[in-house]
Amino acid sequence: MSAEAIGLEEALRFEVRRLLVYRTRVALCIGLTTVVTFAASNHLWRSDTPLWSDVMNLVTAALIGIAFALLTRPSIQRHAVPFAVAIFAFGSCTRAAAGIGHGDVATTAITLVGLAFVGASTMPWGAGAQIATAAIAGAAIMINSYFVTGSMTGPPGQAATAVALGMGVSVGLAIELQRHRVRTTVEMLRRSQAEGRLAQLNAELEHRVHQRTQELDGTTRRLAREVQEHQQALAGMRESERRLQEVLDHAMAAIYLRDAEGRYVLVNRYWEGMAGRRAEDVVGKSVEEIMPPEAVEALNAHNRQVLESRQPMQFEEVIRQPDGRLHTWVSVKFPQFDANGEPVGVWGISTDITERKRAEEQARQHQAELAHVLRVGTIGEMAAGFAHEINQPLGAVANYAQGAVLRMRNGTVQPAELRPVLEAMAHEALRAGEIVRRIRDLVRKEPSEQKPFDLNTLVRDSAQIMEGEARQLGVQMRLELAAELPPVMCNGVQIEQVILNLLRNALDAVQGCSAGDGCVDIFSAASGRDAVEVSVRDNGVGLPAESVDVFAPFFSTKANGLGMGLSISRSIIEAHHGHVWARRNAARGSTFSFTLPLGNGRDDPARPARSAQGR
C-alpha cells in the first residue's frame, strides 16, 4: 500500500472518530432532554408517579453527565465506537426498564426502533456496530414484551414483523449511509490533499518568485526600515518638541529662540503674555518687527555678542511694554549650535526684575536715610571732642594773634619776626577748617553712587577724625595698613561711616576697662584674590555671650545707645557685596572685621551688562 493510501486511511479513521465523538455528544444531549421530558410529563399527567421512576430518571441523568465527562478523555475518544454502542445499549435497557415499570409495550417498541433508525442515520459506526445496536434494541423490546404481556414475541402478527423489519432496515440504512459517508469523506480528504499539493506548488512557485525578487525585496525592506526610522525620528522629534513646549509654557520667565538673523523661531506662553502677541504672529518675524524701536539696537548687539563669543552671557535689558511702562529684565542668553558645531541661533531666558529693582532702590534710600541719621547722632556724641579739636587751633590762633599785637604795640618786633607767627596762625586756621570739612562731609546726605576708592585713605581719614577723642581718653591708636592695596568699588562716605562706628565702639570698650594701657589697632590687608579686609582690634571689655548677635537692630551695651550702629554697618557692607563679622580676642577685647570686593574704576565685571537704552 502506498504512503498516500496509508495516509488517506489514517485520515479517514481520524475523521470518522472525530465525527462519532461529536454525534455521541449530541445523542447524549437528546437522551438527557428525553429523560427530563418524560420525568416532567409523568409528574404533569400522572398524580401517582412512583418513586422508582424519579430515582431511575435521576440516575440516568447522572450517568449521562459521566458519559459527557468521559468523552473528553483521549483514551475514550480512541475507542469511540464501542463507547457509543455501550451508551446506546444503556439507553435501550433504560427504556425497556421504564416500559416494564409503566406496563408499556408499543411505546417502548416504537421508541427503540426509532433509536435504531436514529443511530443508523447519524452514527458513522458501520454495519457491525449497527447490527449490535439493532440486536440490543430487539432484545430490549422482547424483554419488555415478556415482562408486560408474558410473551417473548410481543404483539402477534404484523406488529412483530414490523419491528423485525424495522431493525433490518436500520442495518441496511446504516450500511448505505456508512458507504456514503466514507465516499464523501474520502473525496474531502483527497480534495484536501490536492489542495495541499496545490499549496505546496504555490509555495514552490512563491519560493522561486522570492528568489528572483530577493534583491528587490531587500531594497524594499531597507527603504521601509529607513522610512520607519525616519517616521519614528519625526515622531520622537515631535514628542520632544511637545514636551519642550510644555516645559517652556509652564516656566515663570520669558523664553525664546532667535536664529542667527534675529528672526523668532520659538516663544513660550509667558513671552506671549509679556509682549501681548500670539506665537503664530511672532514666529518668522525679526526683532525689528516685534520689539520697540529704542530696544532693537541693544537686543541685536546682545545677539551678536553671544554668537561671536559662543558662550552664555547675561544682560540687563530695559524694554517698553505694550502698556507703555519700562520694564527691566535680566536675560541669560546662550548660543544654539548645528550638527557641525556652528552657532545658528540664540536662546534667551528673561526674568522681569522691575519690581525687584524698585524695591532695591526703597531699600537704598531707606538705608541712606538711616545712615544719615546715624552719622548725625554720631556727630552729636562726638560734639565735645570736635569742640576740643576745634578750640585747640582756634586758641593757638588767638594766642599767636595777641602776642603779635602786644609786640607790635611795644614797637619791639621786626617784620621778619612776624612771618613764623603768621605762618603758625595760618596752619592752625587750616587745621580748624579741615575739622569742620570732615564734620560737614559726615552730616551731609551723599549720593548713593559707587566709585573706586583707596581703602587705606578712608581708614586714615576716619582715624584722624577719632584721633582727638582717643587722645583725650588716653587710648593709643595704631595703624598697620598693607601697602599697594587695589581699589574697591564703594560709597566712600558710607564705608568711612562703618569704620567710624567700629572705632567708636572700640574706644568705648577700652574706656570701660583700661588702666592707662588702652589700645586700638587698625589693620588692612588683601583677602584672597578679589577682596580687601579691614579689622579693628581693641583690648577692651570684649564681646557678650556668643549666642548674642551684636549686629542685630537695637542691640547695645551702652546705657544711652540706640543699638543701630552695627546693624546699619552690616547693611552697608552687605549692600556693597561684602561681609562683616566679630570675634573674641584670645587675651582681651574683641576684633571687628569686614571685607569689600575689588573694583577697577569701570563697570563691575560680576554685574550683568545693561542694554544701551537702559544706561
Side-chain angles (χ1 to χ4, degrees):
M1 185 178 293
S2 66
E4 182 179 356
I6 293 175
L8 183 62
E9 183 177 357
E10 182 64 28
L12 179 61
R13 282 198 297 269
F14 175 80
E15 287 296 323
V16 169
R17 186 166 58 246
R18 184 186 61 80
L19 182 59
L20 184 59
V21 169
Y22 170 72
R23 292 189 174 176
T24 301
R25 289 173 177 164
V26 174
L28 288 173
C29 290
I30 295 173
L32 182 61
T33 304
T34 302
V35 170
V36 173
T37 303
F38 274 107
S41 64
N42 287 337
H43 283 278
L44 192 62
W45 301 107
R46 297 180 59 177
S47 60
D48 56 346
T49 302
L51 178 61
W52 63 266
S53 177
D54 291 335
V55 172
M56 186 175 66
N57 289 334
L58 183 61
V59 171
T60 302
L63 291 175
I64 290 175
I66 293 174
F68 262 112
L70 291 175
L71 273 175
T72 61
R73 303 178 67 85
S75 59
I76 298 298
Q77 292 178 357
R78 286 194 295 270
H79 302 86
V81 173
F83 188 76
V85 172
I87 291 175
F88 183 85
F90 172 76
S92 299
C93 293
T94 302
R95 179 60 229 177
I100 294 170
H102 291 287
D104 293 330
V105 176
T107 304
T108 299
I110 294 171
T111 301
L112 292 179
V113 171
L115 285 177
F117 275 105
V118 170
S121 61
T122 59
M123 293 297 183
W125 49 22
Q130 182 61 32
I131 292 172
T133 56
I136 292 170
I141 293 172
M142 292 175 63
I143 293 171
N144 174 262
S145 177
Y146 174 76
F147 280 100
V148 174
T149 65
S151 172
M152 291 291 291
T153 60
Q158 295 181 352
T161 303
V163 170
L165 181 60
M167 294 303 180
V169 170
S170 72
V171 173
L173 179 63
I175 293 172
E176 183 59 29
L177 289 176
Q178 180 66 6
R179 186 182 299 114
H180 175 72
R181 290 193 188 98
V182 170
R183 185 168 58 251
T184 304
T185 304
V186 169
E187 290 178 357
M188 291 177 59
L189 291 175
R190 285 176 177 170
R191 186 180 301 168
S192 176
Q193 289 176 349
E195 291 175 353
R197 287 194 296 272
L198 180 60
Q200 184 178 2
L201 291 175
N202 288 335
E204 292 175 357
L205 178 61
E206 290 178 359
H207 180 67
R208 288 195 295 271
V209 172
H210 175 72
Q211 287 180 335
R212 292 176 183 175
T213 59
Q214 185 175 8
E215 184 177 353
L216 179 60
D217 289 344
T219 304
T220 303
R221 286 193 298 271
R222 186 167 57 254
L223 291 175
R225 284 197 302 271
E226 291 177 357
V227 171
Q228 183 179 8
E229 291 173 357
H230 180 66
Q231 291 175 344
Q232 290 176 347
L234 286 177
M237 184 173 65
R238 294 191 189 99
E239 179 63 16
S240 298
E241 290 177 351
R242 185 191 65 80
R243 293 178 179 176
L244 174 62
Q245 190 66 45
E246 185 174 352
V247 171
L248 296 181
D249 285 342
H250 286 83
M252 297 305 294
I255 303 177
Y256 44 92
L257 172 63
R258 302 191 192 105
D259 61 18
E261 286 72 36
R263 292 186 297 265
Y264 284 91
V265 178
L266 177 149
V267 296
N268 71 338
R269 191 177 301 160
Y270 189 98
W271 190 99
E272 292 178 322
M274 174 271 295
R277 295 172 178 262
R278 296 183 303 173
E280 52 266 31
D281 299 331
V282 173
V283 172
K285 295 184 178 180
S286 64
V287 173
E288 290 82 357
E289 298 176 275
I290 301 300
M291 287 298 171
E294 67 271 16
V296 170
E297 182 179 354
L299 295 178
N300 286 333
H302 295 166
N303 269 28
R304 288 194 299 271
Q305 291 179 46
V306 173
L307 291 173
E308 292 170 1
S309 69
R310 305 168 68 94
Q311 297 291 331
M313 301 184 73
Q314 182 171 299
F315 304 93
E316 188 173 296
E317 301 172 330
V318 178
I319 301 175
R320 191 175 301 278
Q321 299 303 105
D323 59 6
R325 295 187 301 170
L326 290 176
H327 280 232
T328 304
W329 302 81
V330 168
S331 299
V332 177
K333 299 186 177 182
F334 52 92
Q336 182 179 25
F337 301 96
D338 61 10
N340 299 321
E342 294 298 322
V344 294
V346 176
W347 280 96
I349 304 175
S350 298
T351 304
D352 191 347
I353 61 169
T354 305
E355 295 302 324
R356 190 181 77 187
K357 294 283 287 187
R358 291 173 182 168
E360 289 176 355
E361 183 66 27
Q362 292 164 354
R364 282 194 293 267
Q365 291 178 357
H366 183 62
Q367 176 181 295
E369 292 292 336
L370 288 177
H372 179 255
V373 170
L374 180 63
R375 288 196 299 275
V376 173
T378 302
I379 294 300
E381 294 177 4
M382 298 171 62
F386 281 133
H388 178 75
E389 289 294 305
I390 294 174
N391 285 334
Q392 281 188 337
L394 292 180
V397 169
N399 290 335
Y400 284 129
Q402 290 176 0
V405 169
L406 289 176
R407 296 179 67 179
M408 291 177 65
R409 286 177 179 174
N410 294 333
T412 60
V413 66
Q414 298 296 326
E417 294 177 350
L418 289 177
R419 182 181 301 166
V421 176
L422 295 176
E423 290 177 350
M425 292 173 61
H427 174 74
E428 294 299 330
L430 291 175
R431 178 182 168 194
E434 180 65 17
I435 295 173
V436 173
R437 182 190 64 79
R438 290 176 185 165
I439 297 173
R440 183 187 62 207
D441 289 343
L442 281 175
V443 298
R444 69 182 174 87
K445 288 188 176 181
E446 80 291 349
S448 59
E449 63 182 11
Q450 298 183 6
K451 58 184 179 180
F453 272 96
D454 178 11
L455 198 56
N456 283 343
T457 300
L458 298 179
V459 171
R460 291 190 188 96
D461 290 345
S462 301
Q464 288 178 4
I465 293 176
M466 298 302 301
E467 185 177 10
E469 185 173 346
R471 202 166 44 246
Q472 292 179 17
L473 296 174
V475 177
Q476 184 180 5
M477 186 178 297
R478 298 177 299 196
L479 274 66
E480 297 183 20
L481 307 180
E484 299 182 355
L485 285 180
V488 295
M489 289 294 297
C490 68
N491 182 301
V493 175
Q494 290 187 355
I495 299 304
E496 189 173 357
Q497 175 185 349
V498 172
I499 300 172
L500 284 174
N501 289 341
L502 299 182
L503 290 176
R504 280 193 53 77
N505 288 343
L507 291 177
D508 291 339
V510 171
Q511 180 184 6
C513 69
S514 66
D517 60 346
C519 181
V520 174
D521 296 319
I522 310 173
F523 306 91
S524 69
S527 177
R529 299 177 57 185
D530 56 359
V532 175
E533 179 179 330
V534 174
S535 298
V536 177
R537 183 179 65 192
D538 64 70
N539 59 352
V541 295
L543 292 172
E546 294 184 2
S547 60
V548 176
D549 182 10
V550 296
F551 293 96
F554 309 113
F555 174 82
S556 178
T557 58
K558 304 175 185 178
N560 298 319
L562 294 176
M564 292 299 294
L566 289 178
S567 175
I568 294 178
S569 297
R570 177 167 65 179
S571 66
I572 291 174
I573 295 300
E574 291 179 349
H576 284 74
H577 307 286
H579 181 56
V580 61
W581 68 95
R583 64 180 181 273
R584 292 172 178 267
N585 295 335
R588 193 175 82 184
S590 58
T591 300
F592 284 77
S593 305
F594 67 86
T595 59
L596 291 175
L598 298 181
N600 54 10
R602 294 174 294 180
D603 286 342
D604 188 349
R607 294 184 178 182
R610 293 176 59 89
S611 62
Q613 73 275 18
R615 291 177 180 154

